Amino acid sequence: SMRHPMTRTTNRSEYELPGPPAPRRPFARYEPTPYRIVNLMLTLAEVGPEDVLYDLGSGDGRIPITAATEFGAHAVGIEIDAKRVALARTNAVKAGVSERVTFIQQDLFEADFSAASIVTLYLLPRLNQLLRPRLLCELRPGTRIVSHTHSMGNWRPRRTRQIVDGLGWCHRVYLWTVGDSGRASMPRSSGRKSK
């Protein structure tokens, strides 16, 4: 049976708010990004050895590991599922990049990704929207944000690329850059000139 948000009690007060919410579960089912798309995302973001890439919802670790092996970057994967974190760590050791790649078991909404120069995403549209305020507030100007498949609502991407996989599915990759004002590339408001 469903509990009413306000539960009548007899001891402390007439009404009592329910306790803390249950721990947040993974929002999206696990669907790994195909390696062709991983390479497209990293190429579009112009990943290099000076970059620190954060992958939010890192799964088996393929994006951070590829950023390290193919592009020389340091990378951090944030993943809520402990089994996938363990798998990603094993994959990083096998790839010989465990000193350049770190995997953290954590809810991406509680993670600190402010050190990123690049953030990669393959989440649901609603999650991208929920992340927008943090991305704008916490990332430094010049940070690149790359998303596989889903946009950021009315944020205007700097670049968009498409690729058709072997099954005929069209994959879209979006790139935004946090601007000098600390805002991502967004539609200009009417009547205002941008500097």
Side-chain angles (χ1 to χ4, degrees), residues 132-149:
R132 278 173 34 158
R134 286 198 60 202
L135 295 170
L136 283 178
C137 182
E138 297 174 30
L139 296 176
R140 294 166 299 187
T143 303
R144 285 95 78 202
I145 302 165
V146 187
S147 177
H148 172 207
T149 300

Side-chain angles (χ1 to χ4, degrees), residues 157-169:
R158 178 175 291 258
R159 279 182 261 164
T160 305
R161 295 287 182 273
Q162 304 187 148
I163 192 169
V164 177
D165 67 18
L167 299 173
W169 291 98

